[in-house]
Each structure stands twice: as structure tokens, then as C-alpha cells.
Amino acid sequence: MNAIPQLFFDAMSLGGIYAMAALGIALIFGVMKLVNFAHGEYIAFCVFALIVPSTDAVAVMFLGKAPAFLLIPTLLLIGAAVAVASEFFVFRHMRNATPVAMMISSFALGFVIQNILLVVFSSRPKAVSLWPELNQPVSIAGASIPLLQLIVILSTLIVVVTLAVLLKRTRIGLEMRAAAENFTMARLLGVRANVVITGAFALSGALAAAVALIMVTQTGVADIRMGGQIMLVAFIATVIGGLGSLPGAVAAGFLIGAASVILQGFLPLEARPFRDAFLFTLVIVSLLLRPEGLFAPRSSKPRV
Amino acid sequence: MSKLGVFDVSVRYGKVPALTDVSFTVEEGERMFISGPNGAGKSSLLKAICGAVPTTHGRIEVDGDMLNGRSPEVIARLGLTMVPEGREIFGTLTVEENLRVGTGIRPDKPAVETDIDEVYQSFPILGERRHTNAGALSGGQQQMLAIGRGLMTNPKLMLVDEPSLGLAPNIVDQVYDTLVNLQNDRGLTLIIVEQSSARAARVGGRMVLLRGGSVVGDGDAAKFAESDLLKEAYFGQNKAEDAT
Ligand SMILES: Nc1ncnc2c1ncn2[C@@H]1O[C@H](COP(=O)(O)OP(=O)(O)OP(=O)(O)O)[C@@H](O)[C@H]1O
Ligand SMILES: [Mg+2]
């Protein structure tokens, strides 16, 4: 019987994607209190950066033709650049705006990016074949797992560990954590707001690019709407994880991934089309029980 | 270095005026207390100096450098540091990480390590708990950490907002002893918000008395402790208010 290891790998790989997307959102929220709904469009943008601009139904590889050792860093840089540019041209001018105003402008920015993609690539989903050999199965513990799933799990681990080391061991990481907790106090201690915010956007954009690579390899499709669904799940993960908590975002990403895989596997057949309804019910229940999130950051209130 | 000048400074939050035409100067190495009742504008004054709130009028200078309109991170680079009301330590960071946040602006990186040791000497409990999350410290320990964190920026002028708030009297003694020692060792200029004029008188120094956003007294803290001016500032109504 190989259903259990199969479920495990499905849950881990789906959870890994959600965790990375949620981290991208939590990073920005941490330093700016901005829920960046354009994050999903960063993902879509990175997917389309792989192919030649054209409205044809068949995608011709552009950056996608490059060998992996060039393609991956370049795409991470593109993701970082898009995110940093959006901060520079949009969010920087809204530093003193209310969180709601910032959130709405992130929606607007998302529409702008999506419409640019629409004009250049048309709204028809395109078949994109990036690294098709990765979808070949390998057999582990009696289950046959697509190689890509293993790579996804491994890359999630690498991303999470790298990010943790960066935040824990570097100067900019220290400044980002301090700013996430108390931005004004960090600035009073000389932490440059622009450096920290730009750094957070760059990391967030690179995470979007990583998600884009995984999604396009897994699905073989480039669709200008592909950011929407994952953005929704990632946003929910950041809320359940406790807005702004990075470990919380990762844990909640994995939790939602696992929950949806388990629901998919164990719901009666006729209920499976409604899997997301069950999933979101769980989300609502969890928020009713712990409105501040399952993994809310420890209170930093001074003790008197 | 570090003569501070505050000239006709006003601060308002929306329509609420917090400070109106406040002026005073502080000499290098001087110790000055700011006192006054709740809502007098003491915290707003410190925040205006370090750039945390904008001024609506007037000018603030350190050694001839204009501070108003500059961002807090730039002002920090000019040698000012703030130990805010309520301490505002970073609870999710360790004690030592808290101390390191403000060292990014220092050109003298090697001195950072010796300065950290020095803070641990002044406050041994911080050294013992250097790897604990600062959120787990007691109120007094957090106050010490906030002072140590400010010192780590290697400031010339330190603004301390109500260091005695919520602390047991013996801890307050300890905090003030350390502040005075640090000032003597480093030639720091110190501006301290202190509600207790008796405490200010005991520590010694100059005192500026604020009320309703204006300076109503400026002189030796020891003299204020007995004066009617103080009582009037806290409890009295001035003539203008009586008339309306
Ligand atoms: N963020 C703010 N928004 C609006 N009004 C404010 C704000 N901060 C302070 N005020 C108002 O400005 C005035 C001065 O406040 P401030 O905090 O400077 O007084 P304080 O002398 O430090 O008082 P306390 O002794 O209670 O600390 C008060 O009337 C207060 O209500
Ligand atoms: Mg105050």
C-alpha cells in the first residue's frame, strides 16, 4: 500500500508552495503593514518572463530556454526587480497612508500588471513546457513520486533555511526583524526605512519567482490569472499564521497544503468537488478559535 | 559638541496642539530634566527633537545642524539617541540583538564589541540574559536594556523619557546612578523627562517645567522642588484660564 507516503509527498509539496507564497506576503506585511495583493501578479509576471512576448496560443521559450543555472537566478532577480519597482513607484508614495488605502492600491497595482500581461500575451492560457523531465516519477517508500515534488520539497527547505539564516545572522536581517516589530523605534536607532523596505520587497519578489518556477513546471501552463488562486491561499495562510509572523506563515502554509491534500484523499467522492468549501470552513473555525492567528508572535508589550 | 537649541517649536496632532513656541538651549555635557503634568507635552518635545513627530513651527539645532524636517534615521546619525517612554524594546529579539540594532550607524565597528561588554558591566543582568528574548525581561531590566541600546549608538546627546515609570524605587535609584555615571564617563548630554521633582532635585541638574505645551519654568531642579511654581504647574489654574 503506498497511499500514505503518496499523500505525505503531495501534502509537503503543495504546502511548500503555499508556504513560500505566504512568506512573500508576510515579509512585506511585517515591515509595512501592507497586505500586498499584487503578490499573485508578481508570480504570473515571472511565469510570463520565461516566454517570448506574443499573443499566440503556443508559447515559445525565451528565458525558459536558458540552462537552469542561469535561468533560476535570472528569474529570481526579475521577481525581485518587479517587486522593488512596485515599491518605488507605488507604495513608497503611500508610506503614511492607512493600511486599507495601501491594500487597495495593491489591488490596483495587481490589475495593472495583469492587464499589461493581457495586452502582451492575450488572456488565453498557454502551454509551457519547462523541464518536462522533472515530472517523471521516481519511486520512494513504495510510492511513485514525480521528481518535481521532491525538488519542490527540497527547494522549500532551502528557501526557508536560507531566509532564516539571512534574518538571524545578517545585519539587514536584524534590521528587518527590528523594523517589523517596531518601525519607528528601529528608525530612531538609525535603521534606514528605505533599505529595510526595499530589502523586504526584493526578498518577497524573489519568493514569487520561486513559486512561479514551481507552478509552471508542475502545471505546464502560463495563465495571466494564475496568481489569483495561490494569492488567496497564501493570504489565508498569513492570517492563520498570525499576520507578520514568518514562522507562522510557513507553518500555516504547510497546514493548509496538508489539509487540502487530506480532504482530497479522504472526502467521500461526491463531496470532493466541494473540497475548498470544507477547507475554508476549517479556516473560519480556526479564526473563530484563534482570531490573532494560530502562531501569533509573542507579545512585545513592555512588562511593568 | 552637542549643544542643543530649541527655538519657538510647536507640535500639533491634527488640530490638537501639543507644544506651542517652546524654546530653550542645552549646553554640552549638561543634565536637564523636563517635568510637568500628564499631557504637558514632555514626550512630544523629545519626539520632535529626535524626528519621530514633525514640528509645525520653529527650529531645532544640534551644533548648528538643523534637525527639523530630517528623518529619525538621519538624526540618529548626528549623535542623538532616544530612550522612549514605555521602553519600546524589541521583545522578539534577544537582549544582545536589541543592543546591536543601533550599531549599524557606527563607523567604529571594532569598538562595538567592547561597548557591548561595557553595557554588560553596567547592567550585569543583561549580560546574564544576553540570549533570552527581551520580551521576557522584567520592567526594570527592560529599562536598562533600553538605556543600553541607546548607548550602543555611541550618542552625544541622549533623550530619556520617564525612566522611572513603573519601577520600584530602588531600581529607579540604580537606573539614575548608572545614567549619572555614564554621563560622567562619556561626557554625554542628557535630557531626562522626570515627573518627580524630588527625584530630579536629588539627582541634580537643571529643570525645564512644561505645562499645556509651554515652558512655564526653567532653572535649578533643587530650587523647583520647593517652589510654588511647580504646584501651580501641576494643580493650579493660571490667570488666563480663570478669566475665560
Ligand atoms: N499620537 C497622538 N495623537 C494625538 N494626540 C496626541 C498624541 N500624542 C500626544 N497627544 C496629545 O498631545 C498632548 C501632549 O502629549 P504628550 O504625550 O507629549 O504629554 P506628556 O507630557 O508626555 O504626558 P505624560 O506625562 O502622560 O507622558 C496631550 O494632550 C496628548 O493628548
Ligand atoms: Mg510622556
Side-chain angles (χ1 to χ4, degrees), chain B residues 29-107:
Chain B
E30 194 177 356
R31 173 161 58 243
M32 191 184 95
F33 290 95
I34 298 174
S35 202
N38 295 121
K42 307 179 294 292
S43 299
S44 302
L45 177 56
L46 294 203
K47 287 180 187 167
I49 295 172
C50 66
V53 301
T55 56
T56 49
H57 182 254
R59 120 191 105 78
I60 304 173
E61 289 178 4
V62 165
D63 300 328
D65 273 322
M66 280 275 278
L67 299 189
N68 16 3
R70 293 192 158 172
S71 65
E73 57 256 51
V74 171
I75 293 176
R77 283 173 173 72
L78 294 173
L80 273 78
T81 204
M82 168 83 141
V83 181
E85 195 175 7
R87 295 124 204 174
E88 315 246 338
I89 55 120
F90 303 106
T92 58
L93 272 53
T94 66
V95 167
E96 183 146 329
E97 284 171 341
N98 268 273
L99 294 177
R100 287 188 190 277
V101 173
T103 59
I105 60 176
R106 293 175 59 163

Side-chain angles (χ1 to χ4, degrees), chain A residues 52-107:
Chain A
V52 174
S54 113
T55 53
D56 295 345
V58 184
V60 180
M61 282 300 189
F62 174 50
L63 177 61
K65 270 196 303 221
F69 73 91
L70 269 182
L71 188 159
I72 295 172
T74 311
L75 200 68
L76 294 182
L77 276 180
I78 290 177
V82 173
V84 168
S86 67
E87 193 276 324
F88 188 82
F89 290 112
V90 181
F91 301 118
R92 181 160 299 195
H93 309 284
M94 308 198 65
R95 288 270 171 89
N96 298 321
T98 63
V100 173
M102 285 203 291
M103 191 177 84
I104 289 171
S105 52
S106 83
F107 272 117

Side-chain angles (χ1 to χ4, degrees), chain A residues 25-26 28-30 32-39 91 99-100 102-107 231 234-236 238-239 243-244:
Chain A
I25 294 165
I28 304 287
F29 185 86
M32 279 193 85
K33 305 295 166 264
L34 158 68
V35 178
N36 185 9
F37 278 96
H39 193 79
F91 301 118
V100 173
M102 285 203 291
M103 191 177 84
I104 289 171
S105 52
S106 83
F107 272 117
M231 174 63 212
F235 171 58
I236 290 169
T238 51
V239 173
L243 266 171

Side-chain angles (χ1 to χ4, degrees), chain A residues 69-158:
Chain A
F69 73 91
L70 269 182
L71 188 159
I72 295 172
T74 311
L75 200 68
L76 294 182
L77 276 180
I78 290 177
V82 173
V84 168
S86 67
E87 193 276 324
F88 188 82
F89 290 112
V90 181
F91 301 118
R92 181 160 299 195
H93 309 284
M94 308 198 65
R95 288 270 171 89
N96 298 321
T98 63
V100 173
M102 285 203 291
M103 191 177 84
I104 289 171
S105 52
S106 83
F107 272 117
L109 174 68
F111 279 120
V112 169
I113 297 177
Q114 196 174 86
N115 279 286
I116 292 173
L117 294 177
L118 175 71
V119 169
V120 179
F121 294 97
S122 92
S123 69
R124 244 177 320 175
K126 296 169 197 286
V128 178
S129 156
L130 180 74
W131 303 327
E133 62 281 6
L134 293 187
N135 278 312
Q136 273 170 18
V138 292
S139 97
I140 292 181
S144 119
I145 315 289
L147 186 55
L148 180 65
Q149 267 194 1
L150 294 181
I151 294 180
V152 169
I153 296 168
L154 195 68
S155 9
T156 312
L157 279 179
I158 294 175

Side-chain angles (χ1 to χ4, degrees), chain B residues 92-123:
Chain B
T92 58
L93 272 53
T94 66
V95 167
E96 183 146 329
E97 284 171 341
N98 268 273
L99 294 177
R100 287 188 190 277
V101 173
T103 59
I105 60 176
R106 293 175 59 163
D108 55 337
K109 298 291 179 229
V112 168
E113 304 307 318
T114 49
D115 280 7
I116 285 192
D117 287 340
E118 227 171 87
V119 169
Y120 290 155
Q121 266 161 33
S122 305
F123 306 108

Side-chain angles (χ1 to χ4, degrees), chain A residues 3-286:
Chain A
I4 297 300
Q6 181 70 58
L7 273 181
F8 173 78
F9 283 106
D10 283 349
M12 288 293 285
S13 60
L14 187 62
I17 300 175
Y18 291 163
M20 276 195 255
L23 267 180
I25 294 165
L27 267 172
I28 304 287
F29 185 86
V31 295
M32 279 193 85
K33 305 295 166 264
L34 158 68
V35 178
N36 185 9
F37 278 96
H39 193 79
E41 272 63 47
Y42 298 166
I43 295 173
F45 187 95
C46 289
V47 168
F48 281 92
L50 293 168
I51 61 182
V52 174
S54 113
T55 53
D56 295 345
V58 184
V60 180
M61 282 300 189
F62 174 50
L63 177 61
K65 270 196 303 221
F69 73 91
L70 269 182
L71 188 159
I72 295 172
T74 311
L75 200 68
L76 294 182
L77 276 180
I78 290 177
V82 173
V84 168
S86 67
E87 193 276 324
F88 188 82
F89 290 112
V90 181
F91 301 118
R92 181 160 299 195
H93 309 284
M94 308 198 65
R95 288 270 171 89
N96 298 321
T98 63
V100 173
M102 285 203 291
M103 191 177 84
I104 289 171
S105 52
S106 83
F107 272 117
L109 174 68
F111 279 120
V112 169
I113 297 177
Q114 196 174 86
N115 279 286
I116 292 173
L117 294 177
L118 175 71
V119 169
V120 179
F121 294 97
S122 92
S123 69
R124 244 177 320 175
K126 296 169 197 286
V128 178
S129 156
L130 180 74
W131 303 327
E133 62 281 6
L134 293 187
N135 278 312
Q136 273 170 18
V138 292
S139 97
I140 292 181
S144 119
I145 315 289
L147 186 55
L148 180 65
Q149 267 194 1
L150 294 181
I151 294 180
V152 169
I153 296 168
L154 195 68
S155 9
T156 312
L157 279 179
I158 294 175
V159 164
V160 169
V161 170
T162 311
L163 197 64
V165 169
L166 193 92
L167 288 172
K168 196 70 193 166
R169 297 260 173 265
T170 66
R171 175 84 220 160
I172 178 85
L174 175 66
E175 296 190 347
M176 281 170 73
R177 282 184 296 138
E181 189 174 330
N182 187 336
F183 211 111
T184 307
M185 193 60 232
R187 295 183 72 189
L188 287 170
L189 292 164
V191 171
R192 284 200 181 95
N194 285 345
V195 171
V196 166
I197 290 175
T198 304
F201 270 91
L203 280 176
S204 167
L207 282 166
V211 172
L213 269 176
I214 292 166
M215 281 180 77
V216 77
T217 316
Q218 227 164 30
T219 61
V221 176
D223 181 345
I224 60 167
R225 286 169 295 268
M226 68 194 301
Q229 171 70 16
I230 180 125
M231 174 63 212
L232 179 64
V233 177
F235 171 58
I236 290 169
T238 51
V239 173
I240 292 187
L243 266 171
S245 159
L246 300 183
V250 173
F254 276 109
L255 203 64
I256 294 181
S260 53
V261 167
I262 290 171
L263 286 174
Q264 179 74 28
F266 291 103
L267 277 181
L269 219 53
E270 54 275 24
R272 276 190 203 166
F274 307 107
R275 183 196 68 182
D276 285 355
F278 285 95
L279 186 63
F280 290 135
T281 308
L282 289 181
V283 168
I284 291 169
V285 169
S286 112

